[in-house]
Amino acid sequence: MPSLCHIFLTRRLRNVLAPCIIDGLPLHGDPKSSFSNFSMASLARAHLSPSFRKYASLASDKSKYKVVVVGGGSAGLSVANQIYNRFKAAGKPLNQHDIAILDANDWHFYQPGWTLVGSGLKKREDTRRSLGSLIPKHITRIPENVRTFSPKSSSVTTTHGRTIAYDALVVAPGLQINWDRIPGLSEALFDTSSGVSSIYSYETASKVWADIESLREGNAVFTQPTGVIKCAGAPQKIMWMAWDRFQKTGRKGIRVDFYTGMPTMFAVKKYSEALNALREERKTPKNHQATFKKADDSIVEVGYTTLHVSPPMGPLKFIKESPIANKDGWVDVNKATLRHNNPEFGNIFAIGDASSLPTSKTIAAITAQAPVLTENLYSVLETGDIALATYDGYTSCPVLTGYGELMLAEFQYGLEPEESFETFFGDQSKPRRAFYHLKKDCLSFCVRGRWFGKNALTRPDFS
């Protein structure tokens, strides 16, 4: 049985204990009082409805496309552009509407920017753009979500009941944030006096900064659940930024606690040791058992003045219940080729958070996965078999450790460090200002398909 992380959502240690059930299904609810069953993009859409679709070519009456991409997030947009460009580079340009993106959301969000919003370094409005403005005219946008997959007939059915066939399918809808698995959390996040916040949504990222700035004394508690989450380093990024802000503004009496369900500070030993040394130097306690409910139902109550919550996450329900998912609910793909593991579904690929790839779910991972998926999809459509392109599990986690400093963790499968800047800057487990500005000022919306992971602006040669 998985452990159940528990957090108190009151100031005086007396109210409801909140179980963070990592593998539960999302529930339905009212977006005004609950985050349940709402992705980050759809949550914002519930409050901010206007969309601007002047660039995208909206849905045509076509019932079949050469390539269908499910999801208009960073993964879906990147790979759709790269697939189009790959065929063009091979001298076999696709027709204007051969690629379709299925996504009903009005807005696209640059989610890594929410840590900067919570740190007071960026306005939340700078982290969103209308989805239509990011889809070029030669790619069709179908503003509907997928309800079911029919891989044996190479088709999907949308929530509007429309059946769309494909020659190749790319699944990239992201994952589910299970806000309602912590009772009381949704209400607390919208209560300006609760002291509870989270960087994991557009709606709440600004409240993180407001709570950090308004705190003058007491306990600042930061949490990380067990299980899979987006960018596993993010929960401590915002903690380090808060700690540094308290120090720089003379609020040294505030106690900062990090409650995590993970066995170490970071999955990669090298970076974990460096971050643990930083924790000890800054006298920031790391707690485990205090946040867990044990088998005998005993609990430990935790008091706080401000509380940053990293909510439990998991696969989207429509993916989890589909025939293309593995037993854990993720799209079951080969970790090297990104092609589906079932030979009968050989024209299906997956990328990013929804995939079963055993690596961190970050935008850096997506930029390395996209060219591999693109090459193999191109080869399958042209020859019937995959190419020589393989993904080594590369991902990166830029861990903010304070204002003006950042530890750039880069690694591959097996949790082995794979550092791009070691030659220039030395050991990347040491926080550096150059890395800080790389995240803060250089990296932004990676959706045009022009960034290729470690290869930066150069598409990898897989020949």
Side-chain angles (χ1 to χ4, degrees):
M1 291 293 292
S3 298
L4 300 181
C5 172
H6 285 76
I7 302 168
F8 277 88
L9 298 181
T10 70
R11 294 167 180 258
R12 297 184 176 88
L13 316 180
R14 292 189 295 205
N15 286 9
V16 180
L17 192 68
C20 310
I21 302 176
I22 301 303
D23 58 356
L25 292 176
L27 304 175
H28 293 277
D30 180 353
K32 294 182 180 178
S33 61
S34 169
F35 286 91
S36 59
N37 206 39
F38 279 78
S39 67
M40 295 177 191
S42 62
L43 176 64
R45 184 165 56 91
H47 296 273
L48 301 164
S49 59
S51 64
F52 307 95
R53 299 167 179 166
K54 62 182 179 180
Y55 296 99
S57 176
L58 290 180
S60 67
D61 293 329
K62 289 178 62 175
S63 60
K64 183 177 180 180
Y65 295 83
K66 193 173 189 71
V67 179
V68 169
V69 178
V70 178
S74 296
L77 291 176
S78 294
V79 79
N81 279 291
Q82 288 192 26
I83 291 169
Y84 182 87
N85 293 337
R86 179 65 182 91
F87 276 89
K88 184 177 181 180
K92 302 175 181 180
L94 298 177
N95 296 320
Q96 186 170 6
H97 299 298
D98 277 348
I99 300 176
I101 293 176
L102 276 160
D103 196 319
N105 292 309
D106 293 318
W107 300 100
H108 171 90
F109 296 93
Y110 178 64
Q111 297 176 25
W114 291 339
T115 306
L116 300 177
V117 174
S119 303
L121 295 171
K122 187 183 286 288
K123 295 180 180 179
R124 71 172 187 172
E125 290 77 15
D126 294 335
T127 67
R128 71 170 187 174
R129 294 183 185 174
S130 62
L131 179 56
S133 72
L134 297 173
I135 300 176
K137 289 183 177 180
H138 53 263
I139 294 177
T140 297
R141 180 194 172 197
I142 301 175
E144 301 176 39
N145 289 328
V146 170
R147 184 176 65 199
T148 58
F149 295 89
S150 300
K152 292 185 178 180
S153 62
S154 293
S155 66
V156 298
T157 301
T158 72
T159 50
H160 290 183
R162 180 178 176 184
T163 298
I164 298 173
Y166 54 80
D167 291 332
L169 177 71
V170 178
V171 187
L175 53 66
Q176 174 74 42
I177 297 186
N178 296 315
W179 300 99
D180 269 9
R181 290 305 178 182
I182 306 179
L185 175 58
S186 298
E187 293 81 2
L189 287 169
F190 285 107
D191 180 352
T192 57
S193 63
S194 69
V196 180
S197 62
S198 179
I199 58 169
Y200 276 99
S201 83
Y202 177 85
E203 288 288 329
T204 63
S206 296
K207 191 171 187 286
V208 178
W209 175 242
D211 285 352
I212 290 173
E213 280 297 87
S214 63
L215 187 62
R216 290 295 174 263
E217 60 182 4
N219 298 335
V221 175
F222 296 81
T223 73
Q224 179 163 352
T226 56
V228 174
I229 65 171
K230 291 174 179 281
C231 188
Q236 63 178 295
K237 293 178 190 180
I238 193 61
M239 176 194 69
W240 293 127
M241 296 301 280
W243 181 92
D244 197 34
R245 181 63 177 172
F246 297 150
Q247 300 301 304
K248 284 181 165 59
T249 54
R251 293 176 280 169
K252 298 183 179 181
I254 296 174
R255 176 186 172 94
V256 177
D257 286 314
F258 185 44
Y259 285 81
T260 175
M262 309 304 292
T264 60
M265 289 293 287
F266 200 84
V268 180
K269 185 175 184 293
K270 173 180 179 177
Y271 304 121
S272 181
E273 290 176 347
L275 288 166
N276 197 56
L278 190 65
R279 178 187 64 78
E280 293 177 347
E281 175 189 337
R282 295 178 175 181
K283 296 180 174 57
T284 303
K286 177 172 72 74
N287 300 282
H288 295 280
Q289 297 303 319
T291 60
F292 285 87
K293 180 178 181 180
K294 300 179 181 179
D296 62 1
D297 287 337
S298 62
I299 59 173
V300 178
E301 297 185 350
V302 178
Y304 66 88
T305 312
T306 187
L307 170 66
H308 177 272
V309 179
S310 299
M313 306 177 197
L316 288 155
K317 185 177 181 180
F318 83 101
I319 296 291
K320 189 173 184 176
E321 297 178 347
S322 76
I324 65 174
N326 65 12
K327 62 181 179 62
D328 296 318
W330 309 105
V331 183
D332 187 19
V333 294
N334 182 281
K335 73 174 189 178
T337 66
L338 282 73
R339 190 186 192 186
H340 204 280
N341 280 319
N342 186 336
E344 295 182 12
F345 306 159
N347 60 343
I348 297 177
F349 298 79
I351 183 174
D353 295 355
S355 75
S356 63
L357 299 173
T359 191
S360 294
K361 297 184 182 299
T362 69
I363 195 169
I366 288 168
T367 64
Q369 294 162 14
V372 173
L373 186 156
T374 296
E375 191 67 19
N376 285 325
L377 182 149
Y378 169 80
S379 181
V380 166
L381 290 180
E382 289 297 303
T383 70
D385 202 0
I386 59 172
L388 298 175
T390 58
Y391 173 57
D392 64 4
Y394 172 83
T395 188
S396 173
C397 182
V399 183
L400 288 159
T401 55
Y403 291 84
E405 59 180 70
L406 183 146
M407 179 187 300
L408 185 57
E410 293 182 283
F411 50 99
Q412 59 183 1
Y413 287 143
L415 303 177
E416 292 295 325
E418 186 179 2
E419 299 180 345
S420 303
F421 300 95
E422 185 178 15
T423 303
F424 304 100
F425 297 107
D427 185 359
Q428 288 182 202
S429 66
K430 180 180 179 180
R432 300 180 187 278
R433 175 172 284 275
F435 298 152
Y436 170 82
H437 287 291
L438 179 66
K439 174 178 176 62
K440 176 179 175 290
D441 303 320
C442 299
L443 298 179
S444 187
F445 292 81
C446 299
V447 297
R448 303 291 187 186
R450 297 171 185 165
W451 190 264
F452 303 94
K454 294 171 292 183
N455 286 62
L457 298 174
T458 304
R459 185 170 67 86
D461 182 3
F462 296 110
S463 60

